Amino acid sequence: AQKVTQAQTEISVVEKEDVTLDCVYETRDTTYYLFWYKQPPSGELVFLIRRNSFDEQNEISGRYSWNFQKSTSSFNFTITASQVVDSAVYFCALSEPEIQGAQKLVFGQGTRLTINP
Amino acid sequence: EPEVTQTPSHQVTQMGQEVILRCVPISNHLYFYWYRQILGQKVEFLVSFYNNEISEKSEIFDDQFSVERPDGSNFTLKIRSTKLEDSAMYFCASSHSNRVRYGYTFGSGTRLTVV
C-alpha cells in the first residue's frame, strides 16, 4: 500500500533562513504523482506542485524549490529566504495507482512550519 | 480559475443530529471525492464518486455516511447521527478524469464541530 512519511512534525526557523521539508514515500507502482499542499491557519489546502514519477527534474518557483529523488523515494521541498507568511502546515501526498478507478491521494502527517520574525 | 465551492465553511451541530455538507464541484469534472482531517492530523480519503455511484470508500466511511449528487451540480456528504469524533475539517475535491495528471482540485473545506 502507498505510504507517505513526513518525519519532521514541527520546524521553527528565523525569517530569511532557508528550510527544507522532507517527504519520503512508498509505492510499488511505476507511474504515480507526488504533490505538496500548504495549509495556512485558515484551513484550506493550497496546491503547490504536482510532479509525475517520470519527471525527475528539480523545479523552482520563486522562493520554492522541489527535489525529486526517485532512487531514495524522496520529494523534498525547500523554501529559500523564508518569510513569516510561509508559516503553515505543509503536506506531501502521493496518488494511488492509475489502474484503481478514481484516483485518491494518500497524505503524509504534515510538517508544521513556523517562521519567526 | 475554476473553484470547488463548499458550504458552509463552519457548522456546529449537536451530537446525534444529521448534518449535510455541500459541495459544488468544477462544472466539467466527473469524479468527486470527500476527505476528512481531524484537527492536527493528516488528511484522509473518505469516498470517491463517479457516474452517480460510489467508486471507492475507506474504512472510515461507514453506514453513518452517505453521498449524493442530487441535482447535477451539488455533491453532498450526509452524516446521519453525528458523534463527537466526527468533528473534523471535511474537504470536497473533484477531477475531470480518474487520472490525477489531468488535475485534482480541493475546496476550502467545511469545519464540522459536534457538541
Side-chain angles (χ1 to χ4, degrees):
Chain A
Q2 275 67 19
K3 186 179 177 183
V4 177
T5 301
Q6 295 180 256
Q8 304 149 309
T9 306
E10 293 192 31
I11 299 175
S12 181
V13 301
V14 177
E15 201 172 17
K16 296 184 185 173
E17 284 186 18
D18 298 347
V19 58
T20 296
L21 309 182
D22 297 334
C23 173
V24 174
Y25 62 92
E26 294 176 30
T27 180
R28 287 181 293 181
D29 196 40
T30 55
T31 302
Y32 52 89
Y33 286 79
L34 293 160
F35 299 75
W36 274 96
Y37 287 89
K38 174 182 180 180
Q39 187 175 44
S42 49
E44 72 271 25
L45 290 171
V46 178
F47 169 78
L48 296 178
I49 190 171
R50 177 179 68 229
R51 174 53 51 89
N52 77 58
S53 52
F54 295 108
D55 182 2
E56 290 194 65
Q57 272 195 325
N58 291 331
E59 178 144 347
I60 298 174
S61 176
R63 296 183 297 106
Y64 295 170
S65 62
W66 290 269
N67 180 257
F68 179 29
Q69 296 277 349
K70 210 166 176 178
S71 59
T72 55
S73 297
S74 65
F75 186 44
N76 296 336
F77 172 35
T78 298
I79 302 175
T80 304
S82 58
Q83 299 176 2
V84 172
V85 294
D86 296 327
S87 296
V89 180
Y90 290 85
F91 289 97
C92 181
L94 170 69
S95 65
E96 287 279 297
E98 291 200 355
I99 58 173
Q100 291 185 6
Q103 284 191 279
K104 64 179 188 274
L105 302 186
V106 175
F107 285 78
Q109 292 283 0
T111 297
R112 180 177 299 278
L113 176 65
T114 303
I115 310 297
N116 299 299
Chain B
E1 187 167 329
E3 288 184 345
V4 173
T5 305
Q6 288 187 244
T7 55
S9 56
H10 190 186
Q11 178 149 2
V12 181
T13 189
Q14 288 206 327
M15 192 169 56
Q17 294 295 306
E18 176 183 284
V19 66
I20 297 176
L21 309 183
R22 301 180 194 280
C23 169
V24 178
I26 293 173
S27 60
N28 65 344
H29 282 190
L30 302 174
Y31 293 81
F32 314 110
Y33 312 83
W34 284 101
Y35 287 77
R36 182 183 81 174
Q37 184 187 27
I38 293 172
L39 184 64
Q41 297 188 22
K42 66 179 177 181
V43 180
E44 297 176 291
F45 170 79
L46 285 178
V47 65
S48 58
F49 189 87
Y50 169 70
N51 200 25
N52 275 324
E53 61 183 24
I54 290 174
S55 299
E56 186 179 356
K57 59 184 180 180
S58 71
E59 295 173 351
I60 304 167
F61 195 88
D62 61 22
D63 292 343
Q64 292 283 64
F65 291 92
S66 63
V67 288
E68 194 177 37
R69 191 154 158 80
D71 56 12
S73 62
N74 289 285
F75 178 51
T76 61
L77 174 69
K78 182 193 292 186
I79 309 174
R80 288 191 183 80
S81 177
T82 50
K83 303 187 280 284
L84 294 176
E85 52 265 38
D86 293 327
S87 295
M89 180 77 99
Y90 289 82
F91 291 102
C92 175
S94 70
S95 61
H96 180 262
S97 94
N98 61 342
R99 304 292 182 251
V100 297
R101 72 178 78 177
Y102 299 114
Y104 201 102
T105 306
F106 281 93
S108 54
T110 293
R111 189 177 299 278
L112 177 66
T113 303
V114 182
V115 296

